[in-house]
Amino acid sequence: MAQWCQLQMLDSKYLEQVDQLYDDSFPMDIRQYLSKWIESIDWDTVAVQDSLATVRFHDLLAQLDDQHSRFALENNFLLQHNIRKIKRNLQDRFQEDPVHMAMIISRNLKEEQKILDNAKSTEREGDGAVLAMVVEKQKLDNKVKEMRDRVQVVDQNIKNLEDLQDEYNFKVNTLKNRENEMNGMTAKELEKEKMIVARMCFELKGKRQDVVNQLSDLLNVTQALLSDLISEELPEWKQRQQTACIGGPPNACVDQLQNWFTAVAESLQQVRQHLKKLQELEQKFTYESDPITQKKGFLEARALDLFKNLLSNSLVVERQPCMPTHPQRPLVLKTGVQFTVKLRFLVKLQEFNYQLKVKAVFDKDVTEKKGFRKFNILGTNTKVMNMEESNGSLAAEFRHLQLKEQKVAGNRTNEGPLIVTEELHSLSFESELQLNQSGLNIKLEALSLPVVVISNVCQLPSGWASILWYNMLTTEPKNLKFFLSPPPAKWCQLSDVLSWQFSVTNRGLNQEQLNMLADKLLGVKAQRNPEGLIPWTKFCKQSANEKSFPFWLWIEGILDLIKRHLLSLWNDGSIMGFISKEREKFLLSDKCPGTFLLRFSESSKEGAITFTWIEHDMHDKPIFHSVEPYTKKELGAVSLPDIIRTYKVMAAENIPENPLRFLYPNIPKDKAFGKYYPKPSETPEPMDVENTEKSGYMKTELISVSEVHPSRLQDNMMPMSPDDYKALEQYVSPRDIDAVMSADFEEQN
């Protein structure tokens, strides 16, 4: 199995390690699109030969051009743009130094292998269920190989049987002619010839029996493999797809599933051809108790049943329904907004190209429920499946579907037992396949995962919560009444799902952050029990910890805040985020004055962030200060690094000072946030008459200032740094500073 495919089967903790290998210098997109080509090259050799590195560099650019052409055929403008940008960046970076690119690829491939090896060693220690899955896939590959080998053996034996039968027929006819002629042939010679023909007949019957037995054994092996695919591999792939839909590890191994399904189909096709050949041999020569005559019908029916079973399970939803405007929130559809969905037929045979016409149907076979809404599908709801240029798969993509709610006569009142974001609906896809060889029609059907239909974008967070809860707790695609009595979730399940929501920002939640959320949902007394149960109402309906909004809407507000204003800070680990006030004080209590940390506010539904720092009073007692949380409104005007850089605390007429010195645990503030500070602009010379952009106004800068009572500032005043003293000297003479400090000292004593 390809290394890239194996990696994508691993757990999220290993995928995060893979993610760290790739950056803008060599993006992961290239690794994904060109995985087969990249793994086919010996990059260690390329990395030490300049001329070869140049050739491979231009080969890679050509591969990207091919990929761009595929996206152009699919009318995928965004991916075309990304490929063009990637190619330009590669040319800028490696055109003059292609060896450097080869070294990066060589290093990354080795690091990927180390990650795989590490996963294997973890599995040997009993903590590698995912890697066990990889091992199972390799076993399945071996079964496919065994099946193909058996097909080749049967094919060769049938050819040998045909040759033997032709020779036997020739011998029999020759013997008959000689018996009639009796030209010089003695009785002894005649007897000898009859003995040879008899032995050939015996051998022929034995080979016929062997071939029939081999075909029967081949069908046994194929049936066992088909059972593994339909009852285990396909459901597991669908379950991984469910997990991927709600933010879990990507489910990119549909190609492998397609290869297995296609291999079985090809083998069954060959078996049917073998049986036709045996029928031809039977017509030329047969005898009493001929195994071909006795078993042919049974074997044909069995091969056909297996083939029908395979095909009827081969239509799958490759990409679940999703609005292009919200690619990370599939399965939530808004009325009047286009959504896309993609299907694939896992048996990739040329004879099926353009033969499958698929129709999309909404809420098929759903019994009418009082109060539940009904919808019509608008747009092109039928598609013909054809071989894709990009990977040759047999697929159909619906790109322009919309939902429109059916109008109800009279005054519409929602009398249903569920709110609209808990209503689940189904999207099914129907087709029919005609087998020309047998004249049979096979009905095909695929179901999407249940979808939530909203009419206003403000319902999206609650709709997404329903999708999370459903796909976390059940694998049944038809349980549309799930939310009439939703089961509770275990904390061990919900913690993973919550972390996945933050993984879309490239950084999931660590154990410290999950501990805080566990205490919030389960209560401190539960001691973060992994088996602790969280009801659906507590997650999405009831207010959390007596706040005026549900837990999920609080999380949703923070996610939106991160994506809009804090993405870089969140990804680099500067934001601790989820931490209780008690834990915050514990962590800061033994740190030097001016140490601060960043956490999310628990009192803001829209998402807000604050910072808390520590000072010490005259008796060295720690005192903690928290600034009023910053919301999207404030962060839209001034970035958080700028707020931290310019933040001041002042009291009465004292000079404002910035109390923030070290990001927890001990990182100097400017080292932690300096890369995010705005670059100083070049100021024009005072006499620069050529500067036409001069506006005549003094430049201003927005800063955050907290005002405190003078006594509080005095009690908690920190030692003045040389920089602060220098700034103070610009306004107050050294003599006056000494006088003030002496007076303060006398008052305190």
Side-chain angles (χ1 to χ4, degrees), residues 366-407:
V366 174
T367 55
E368 188 169 335
K369 293 171 282 188
K370 187 177 181 181
F372 280 66
R373 299 165 299 160
K374 296 180 181 179
F375 299 91
N376 295 324
I377 291 185
L378 304 181
T380 307
N381 69 335
T382 58
K383 284 279 185 178
V384 175
M385 304 191 82
N386 62 285
M387 300 283 190
E388 289 189 323
E389 290 287 339
S390 57
N391 56 14
S393 63
L394 194 59
E397 184 172 9
F398 294 84
R399 296 183 181 177
H400 305 291
L401 297 179
Q402 289 185 45
L403 295 177
K404 183 178 181 181
E405 185 174 357
Q406 295 180 11
K407 298 297 182 182

Side-chain angles (χ1 to χ4, degrees), residues 208-216 278 291-292 295 299:
R208 279 199 170 193
Q209 186 65 57
D210 290 344
V211 166
V212 170
N213 290 341
Q214 288 168 357
L215 278 172
S216 182
L278 290 182
I292 296 178
K295 298 288 187 179
L299 293 176

Side-chain angles (χ1 to χ4, degrees), residues 205 208-209 212 286-295:
K205 291 180 178 180
R208 279 199 170 193
Q209 186 65 57
V212 170
T286 187
Y287 50 91
E288 188 178 351
S289 301
D290 184 350
I292 296 178
T293 306
Q294 292 178 336
K295 298 288 187 179

Side-chain angles (χ1 to χ4, degrees), residues 32-192:
Q32 172 72 25
Y33 297 140
L34 309 183
S35 58
K36 291 182 180 178
W37 180 80
I38 287 174
E39 292 179 29
S40 69
I41 305 296
D42 181 3
W43 292 101
D44 290 344
T45 302
V46 176
V48 295
Q49 296 183 24
D50 289 352
S51 58
L52 185 57
T54 302
V55 171
R56 292 306 179 208
F57 173 70
H58 289 288
D59 287 347
L60 188 144
L61 296 182
Q63 292 283 335
L64 289 177
D65 287 338
D66 291 344
Q67 190 65 43
H68 179 271
S69 299
R70 296 187 189 106
F71 291 146
L73 289 170
E74 297 172 11
N75 294 322
N76 196 324
F77 176 76
L78 178 60
L79 293 181
Q80 290 179 65
H81 167 78
N82 291 344
I83 285 289
R84 285 196 299 268
K85 185 177 179 182
I86 288 170
K87 183 180 177 181
R88 286 197 300 269
N89 291 342
L90 287 178
Q91 289 173 319
D92 292 342
R93 286 190 174 95
F94 304 121
Q95 186 82 46
E96 303 300 325
D97 189 12
V99 168
H100 185 207
M101 184 196 75
M103 292 172 65
I104 290 175
I105 299 175
S106 174
R107 181 204 66 196
N108 286 357
L109 290 174
K110 290 175 182 176
E111 290 300 319
E112 288 176 3
Q113 189 59 53
K114 286 181 182 178
I115 293 170
L116 278 174
D117 292 341
N118 183 33
K120 288 178 183 177
S121 63
T122 305
E123 192 271 340
R124 284 193 291 269
E125 294 167 7
D127 188 31
V130 175
L131 191 74
M133 182 179 68
V134 175
V135 174
E136 285 301 314
K137 301 302 177 272
Q138 291 173 337
K139 289 181 180 178
L140 208 56
D141 279 337
N142 293 335
K143 289 182 179 180
V144 169
K145 184 178 183 303
E146 179 192 355
M147 178 187 66
R148 283 175 165 161
D149 290 344
R150 284 176 177 267
V151 169
Q152 291 179 354
V153 169
V154 171
D155 189 63
Q156 185 59 50
N157 287 343
I158 288 178
K159 289 179 181 177
N160 294 339
L161 177 62
E162 185 178 18
D163 291 341
L164 181 61
Q165 182 166 315
D166 288 343
E167 185 180 357
Y168 172 76
N169 289 336
F170 176 77
K171 287 279 188 183
V172 168
N173 291 331
T174 302
L175 184 59
K176 286 181 179 179
N177 291 334
R178 287 187 175 182
E179 280 182 328
N180 293 333
E181 294 175 1
M182 291 297 292
N183 290 334
M185 212 178 167
T186 64
K188 189 173 183 180
E189 288 175 336
L190 184 61
E191 188 63 29
K192 184 178 180 181

Side-chain angles (χ1 to χ4, degrees), residues 158-159 162 271-284 292:
I158 288 178
K159 289 179 181 177
E162 185 178 18
V271 167
R272 297 174 71 193
Q273 292 300 320
H274 291 155
L275 290 170
K276 285 184 179 180
K277 191 64 182 177
L278 290 182
Q279 185 176 9
E280 292 176 9
L281 295 178
E282 179 199 22
Q283 290 171 351
K284 293 178 181 178
I292 296 178

Side-chain angles (χ1 to χ4, degrees), residues 18-35:
V18 176
D19 182 64
Q20 293 171 7
L21 298 177
Y22 295 92
D23 54 25
D24 290 341
S25 64
F26 194 84
M28 191 183 290
D29 306 59
I30 301 177
R31 184 68 177 94
Q32 172 72 25
Y33 297 140
L34 309 183
S35 58

